Amino acid sequence: MAAETLVLVGEKLRAGMTTEEINTIVHQDTLRRGAIPAPLNYKGFPKSVCTSINDVVCHGIPGDEVLKNGDIINVDVTTLYNGFHGDTSATFYIGTPSPEARLVVETARRGLELGIAEVKEGARLGDIGYAIQSFVEAQGCSVVRDFVGHGIGRRFHEPPQVKHFGKRGDGQRLKAGMIFTVEPMVNLGRFEVDIDADDKWTVRTVDGSLSAQFEHTILVTRDGCEVLTRRQKPLRFSENLAAVFAM
């Protein structure tokens, strides 16, 4: 459900729309499915989706901000249905992206793929972080340290923490049946971030550099993993452009 709602967002995105319009799309589509938008009122979060534009790393609050040509925006959808959560996000291009925007978005996209490729029974959490960090830093970008992936199921956030940086062979050993998110946040500049002092939610890069993120919910299996938030079609303004903008 979360994956299908994210696909719908990609089909609706355009320059000139507000992030509040994205919130309405997600809220209405989630309710239409008989589900609940998990972010709404979660620890006081006021909206049904997170919309993070340009230098906003995560937890952007939808409102009256208007999308402009050249922006990048991460849309983070979490659906609660029959007591279980599904969590997924992607970064989209609005109009024609700058070379810098293409670099950070495609680095984050590939970082997620490399992290997922490490997931299998017997591997360690550090293997995921190492694969992501090594690739991201080789592209001249950085991996956010303060926000990480997480276990998910009946609760929105639970153990284990899934860091997107680390050393191969470190950390908890993975077992079949574990479910968690992998969601690297990649900055064009420094990895440090600040939380907005007024709304207590919006996270921005300290140096104003662009940030991108992609996320899937993953099930560990005996011979690898299953991407539970796998999409049935490419994301418009994101995955359908990945080959064009590949590094």
Side-chain angles (χ1 to χ4, degrees):
M1 289 182 177
E4 290 173 358
T5 297
L6 192 60
V7 168
L8 177 64
V9 169
E11 293 171 350
K12 301 287 188 181
L13 280 178
R14 69 186 189 283
M17 76 186 302
T18 65
T19 51
E20 182 61 38
E21 290 178 81
I22 299 172
N23 184 75
T24 298
I25 291 167
V26 171
H27 185 84
Q28 292 180 347
D29 189 64
T30 304
L31 296 184
R32 179 183 66 80
R33 299 173 186 278
I36 297 169
L40 185 59
N41 299 319
Y42 178 76
K43 296 186 177 181
F45 191 79
K47 299 291 181 175
S48 296
V49 66
C50 297
T51 52
S52 303
I53 300 174
N54 295 334
D55 67 330
V56 177
V57 176
C58 60
H59 303 162
I61 301 173
D64 58 6
E65 187 168 7
V66 177
L67 298 180
K68 305 180 300 298
N69 180 57
D71 283 344
I72 57 173
I73 179 171
N74 176 268
V75 180
D76 193 340
V77 175
T78 308
T79 302
L80 174 60
Y81 181 75
N82 281 352
F84 289 94
H85 294 79
D87 193 0
T88 186
S89 85
T91 300
F92 298 87
Y93 297 108
I94 304 301
T96 304
S98 66
E100 294 80 10
R102 287 155 47 185
L103 173 61
V104 73
V105 171
E106 297 310 319
T107 297
R109 190 194 312 278
R110 182 59 178 155
L112 173 61
E113 293 171 352
L114 292 171
I116 291 174
E118 297 290 333
V119 179
K120 60 183 177 182
E121 186 170 57
R124 292 190 179 272
L125 286 172
D127 300 344
I128 300 171
Y130 176 81
I132 294 170
Q133 182 182 11
S134 298
F135 173 75
V136 168
E137 293 181 352
Q139 310 311 309
C141 298
S142 64
V143 178
V144 171
R145 308 302 204 260
D146 291 350
F147 295 88
V148 299
H150 52 88
I152 188 168
R154 292 191 181 276
R155 288 184 290 173
F156 196 160
H157 297 91
E158 59 187 28
Q161 286 195 339
V162 182
K163 297 177 181 178
H164 306 113
F165 57 95
K167 296 180 180 180
R168 186 171 295 282
D170 279 0
Q172 182 177 346
R173 194 175 294 280
L174 304 184
K175 297 181 180 180
M178 293 174 68
I179 300 177
F180 49 76
T181 68
V182 180
E183 48 180 300
M185 285 149 267
V186 174
N187 296 347
L188 191 64
R190 294 165 52 185
F191 68 78
E192 296 92 347
V193 300
D194 280 330
I195 300 176
D196 189 282
D198 294 325
D199 67 37
K200 311 297 184 186
W201 281 104
T202 305
V203 179
R204 293 184 175 86
T205 58
V206 294
D207 56 6
S209 65
L210 295 174
S211 185
Q213 179 189 15
F214 289 86
E215 174 185 16
H216 273 307
T217 298
I218 309 297
L219 165 67
V220 182
T221 64
R222 296 199 182 280
D223 57 356
C225 67
E226 180 180 351
V227 179
L228 299 181
T229 45
R230 181 174 57 87
R231 294 175 286 272
Q232 298 300 315
K233 59 191 295 188
L235 288 173
R236 192 164 179 249
F237 300 125
S238 185
E239 286 176 327
N240 67 323
L241 299 175
V244 177
F245 296 145
M247 295 167 290

